[in-house]
Amino acid sequence: MRKYSGFALVREAMRAHKGWDRQWASPEPKPEYDVIIIGAGGHGLATAYYLAKEHGITNVAVLEKGWLGGGNTGRNTTIIRSNYLYDESAGLYDHAVKLWENLSQDLNYNVMYSPRGVMMLAHNVHDVQVFKRHIHANRLNGVDNEWLTPEAAKEYCPPLNISSTARYPVMGAALQRRGGTARHDAVAWGYARAASDRGVHIIQNCEVTGVRRGADGAVTGVETSRGFIGAKKVGVVAAGNTSVIMQMADVRMPLESFPLQALVSEPVKPCFPCVVMSNTVHAYISQSDKGELVIGAGTDQYTSYSQTGGLHIIQHTLDAICEMFPMFTRMRMLRSWGGIVDVTPDRSPIIAKTPVSGLYVNCGWGTGGFKATPGSGHVFAHTIANDNPHPINAGYTMERFKTGRLIDEAAAAAVAH
Amino acid sequence: MLLIHCPYCGEERPELEFRHAGEAHIARPENIAEISDEDFAHYFFYRDNPKGVTFERWRHMHGCGRFFNAVRDSVSDKFLTTYKAGEPKPDIADAANENQINTSKGQGAK
């Protein structure tokens, strides 16, 4: 792999850009690998990358039924933060933020991580109490998070309407300055390029249609649209389709799949300095480097695999955006889309071994998996390589639904993350 | 937005009047204190989450207020049929036929 650098740009500029390599190879599948990862989204590609980099396991295939990064990795609103309530969550999400900070250098790929600050608005007394509790819990866990008065929030984000006559007045905000955004496609491409460089096979247009198991019940490989591919270890990182894949191995999951929508506006000049989230009125907004406002809506109420959702969900979100930021009331929206998110009962992921020997699962990221991409791949690679979880994901088992040791971010926030 | 046929009201109404209430035909064990933690987890937390035909509960919150069941295709989001709570699971083939008849009358879902 030829390194990307300022020098490389100048060199290629001098010779009509004829020296750039393809970013990743498209090899034919081998009959057998040491590890197969199902799903070439950010989490799956990151898993393959860290398997190769940290654990020296390079005989790895990442199978993708469509194109890499074409699922939820390419459909989310790219928010990164780690100010979750519980110790397990703080550990996992802050692990990811620490990896985000040097990810561009690590991958030699500009993922455009931009710690511009994530501000979560409080609109009622309950919000204020909950956010302050979060701030104290975060500080005990060494995660930065601070309380802002409405005036301070307005100073941090000038477009914000803090009028007391608003339907949902802003009573304050919690600000995580290390939070921000990254370029979602670049994350998938950067991991794909770096993994491919270390020998990982990324096989697109290869749909998994079955999981084959031996007489002892252990995994022996997967049936795909391009034939059988053997492996003693299979990691499922299939987001909304996790239940479908796991059913092929006769494993029932504590998951439900819902549509989650996002939309972008026409591009405008820089006008919005940070990320603002409002859980109460259900709106998430930031401005991309292209100039589009990137807006996240809520999930539909019914389970679905349709990758599309109801228009009234988007309308509800835009109502809230226009109320909080009156300057956007005449903005035109350009595109909207839906992704299918797999939601666990406690709204925390499952990164664990399964009852089937050799089968591992990384799922249940629900509405907020993008922020965890590097950390998720890192600890999942550790879990697969050692057949044992990393201390950070030790609590993220499926058994927690049996023992009752939940990581109940659902109760903590009661909304999407 | 979905259009949902409430079997009690006998009308198709917009989704906003309804509340989705999870997978249908999950019976609460009658000896709930005696079952194992494993069985409880499967009753309480684990779901089939099928891609394709799904049986689910809805509640007509802003109408008659009653729970009923529906058969829906979770890929197309089209309803195959709805039926009253307590009625047995309908035969899916029958439901699909009924839906075709409905569609020909211009009453198809969504």
Side-chain angles (χ1 to χ4, degrees):
Chain A
M1 178 176 80
R2 205 167 273 163
K3 218 167 147 37
Y4 290 159
S5 65
F7 171 72
L9 260 183
V10 173
R11 186 190 63 213
E12 291 305 324
M14 310 266 269
R15 52 179 196 182
H17 293 284
K18 284 182 178 157
W20 298 117
D21 303 325
R22 283 197 175 272
Q23 296 195 7
W24 53 83
S26 294
E28 284 299 308
K30 291 197 289 187
E32 177 140 17
Y33 292 90
D34 292 341
V35 178
I36 286 176
I37 304 294
I38 302 175
H43 291 242
L45 292 165
T47 306
Y49 170 71
Y50 291 114
L51 274 172
K53 183 187 172 220
E54 307 268 324
H55 306 283
I57 302 172
T58 56
N59 188 21
V60 176
V62 186
L63 309 183
E64 169 57 51
K65 75 173 170 186
W67 62 94
L68 70 84
N72 294 347
T73 300
R75 294 165 188 265
N76 65 83
T77 52
T78 77
I79 297 173
I80 295 167
R81 64 184 181 90
S82 62
N83 51 354
Y84 282 70
L85 181 64
Y86 290 104
D87 296 351
E88 292 92 339
S89 310
L92 180 60
Y93 292 101
D94 214 48
H95 180 53
V97 169
K98 284 172 188 152
L99 288 170
W100 278 116
E101 284 165 355
N102 286 310
L103 193 60
S104 294
Q105 287 74 17
D106 187 25
L107 298 178
N108 181 229
Y109 206 99
N110 186 5
V111 300
M112 296 163 77
Y113 170 56
S114 161
R116 60 184 70 177
V118 172
M119 199 164 77
M120 300 170 75
L121 301 179
H123 295 283
N124 52 46
V125 174
H126 177 72
D127 282 354
V128 172
Q129 290 170 343
V130 167
F131 286 1
K132 286 188 173 173
R133 183 183 172 208
H134 271 68
I135 288 167
H136 295 315
N138 292 153
R139 288 173 69 166
L140 287 172
N141 277 318
V143 176
D144 73 303
N145 199 6
E146 62 193 270
W147 179 252
L148 300 183
T149 61
E151 292 73 26
K154 170 99 180 157
E155 198 175 320
Y156 195 75
C157 182
L160 182 63
N161 175 19
I162 56 167
S163 157
S164 59
T165 58
R167 174 70 182 83
Y168 299 101
V170 174
M171 296 178 71
L175 172 67
Q176 185 178 27
R177 291 181 192 271
R178 285 193 305 149
T181 60
R183 171 99 169 95
H184 50 2
D185 293 330
V187 175
W189 298 337
Y191 272 120
R193 174 169 169 268
S196 178
D197 181 50
R198 287 170 189 267
V200 170
H201 281 190
I202 298 162
I203 301 162
Q204 303 181 73
N205 297 310
C206 179
E207 182 172 1
V208 171
T209 54
V211 176
R212 200 185 281 183
R213 295 166 65 181
D216 58 351
V219 167
T220 58
V222 294
E223 310 282 352
T224 75
S225 54
R226 294 171 71 171
F228 174 76
I229 306 175
K232 298 234 166 9
K233 291 183 172 182
V234 173
V236 179
V237 199
N241 283 289
T242 302
S243 294
V244 179
I245 301 280
M246 294 302 283
Q247 217 213 327
M248 296 173 188
D250 300 321
V251 180
R252 197 164 173 244
M253 297 298 292
L255 292 173
E256 289 185 295
S257 296
F258 295 95
L260 178 67
Q261 296 180 84
L263 61 161
V264 292
S265 73
E266 56 189 338
V268 290
K269 287 186 177 176
C271 62
F272 201 78
C274 58
V275 180
V276 173
M277 305 174 56
S278 171
N279 294 341
T280 301
V281 296
H282 229 130
Y284 310 87
I285 181 167
S286 64
Q287 189 174 22
S288 74
D289 292 333
K290 273 191 286 185
E292 302 155 328
L293 296 178
V294 182
I295 297 170
T299 56
D300 281 89
Q301 55 173 333
Y302 50 85
T303 60
S304 174
Y305 288 84
S306 62
Q307 290 196 320
T308 178
L311 191 61
H312 62 286
I313 305 281
I314 291 177
Q315 281 176 335
H316 174 77
T317 293
L318 290 177
D319 285 349
I321 294 286
C322 291
E323 165 106 1
M324 289 191 295
F325 308 104
M327 72 185 222
F328 294 144
T329 47
R330 293 169 68 187
M331 197 90 151
R332 280 167 297 193
M333 293 298 137
L334 211 58
R335 294 180 287 125
S336 73
W337 61 90
I340 300 303
V341 298
D342 46 326
V343 177
T344 57
D346 64 0
R347 303 297 188 271
S348 286
I350 298 166
I351 315 166
K353 299 161 70 171
T354 68
V356 176
S357 174
L359 187 67
Y360 305 84
V361 69
N362 183 351
C363 67
W365 289 96
T367 57
F370 176 76
K371 64 173 78 68
T373 304
S376 157
H378 188 260
V379 298
F380 193 47
H382 184 283
T383 307
I384 293 174
N386 299 297
D387 195 34
N388 230 346
H390 190 282
I392 289 176
N393 68 316
Y396 290 91
T397 60
M398 276 162 73
E399 284 73 39
R400 72 178 190 263
F401 299 103
K402 187 172 82 183
T403 61
R405 184 76 179 82
L406 304 181
I407 306 166
D408 206 351
E409 294 292 349
V415 290
H417 299 294
Chain B
M1 187 181 306
L2 306 178
L3 279 178
I4 305 175
H5 181 266
C6 173
Y8 294 101
C9 302
E11 266 186 70
E12 265 190 349
R13 305 292 297 171
E15 179 197 337
L16 287 180
E17 293 185 9
F18 297 84
R19 179 69 70 195
H20 186 258
E23 254 172 56
H25 301 290
I26 296 174
R28 186 176 189 274
E30 286 174 16
N31 55 342
I32 196 90
E34 289 146 33
I35 62 172
S36 68
D37 290 348
E38 179 99 44
D39 289 343
F40 181 79
H42 273 271
Y43 152 68
F44 201 68
F45 291 125
Y46 284 66
R47 295 292 177 259
D48 291 337
N49 195 24
K51 186 174 191 171
V53 174
T54 177
F55 294 82
E56 61 192 9
R57 297 194 310 160
W58 286 86
R59 188 177 177 205
H60 197 180
M61 286 281 284
H62 304 293
C64 61
R66 302 180 77 167
F67 283 93
F68 60 90
N69 293 331
V71 191
R72 187 172 53 89
D73 182 336
S74 66
V75 178
S76 67
D77 289 340
K78 278 189 177 162
F79 282 93
L80 300 180
T81 187
T82 59
Y83 52 101
K84 292 176 182 171
E87 288 179 4
K89 258 188 182 183
D91 190 309
I92 297 162
D94 282 356
N97 285 337
E98 197 178 311
N99 183 56
Q100 273 180 351
I101 295 162
N102 276 346
T103 309
S104 65
K105 285 185 201 155
Q107 294 176 347
K110 200 172 180 186

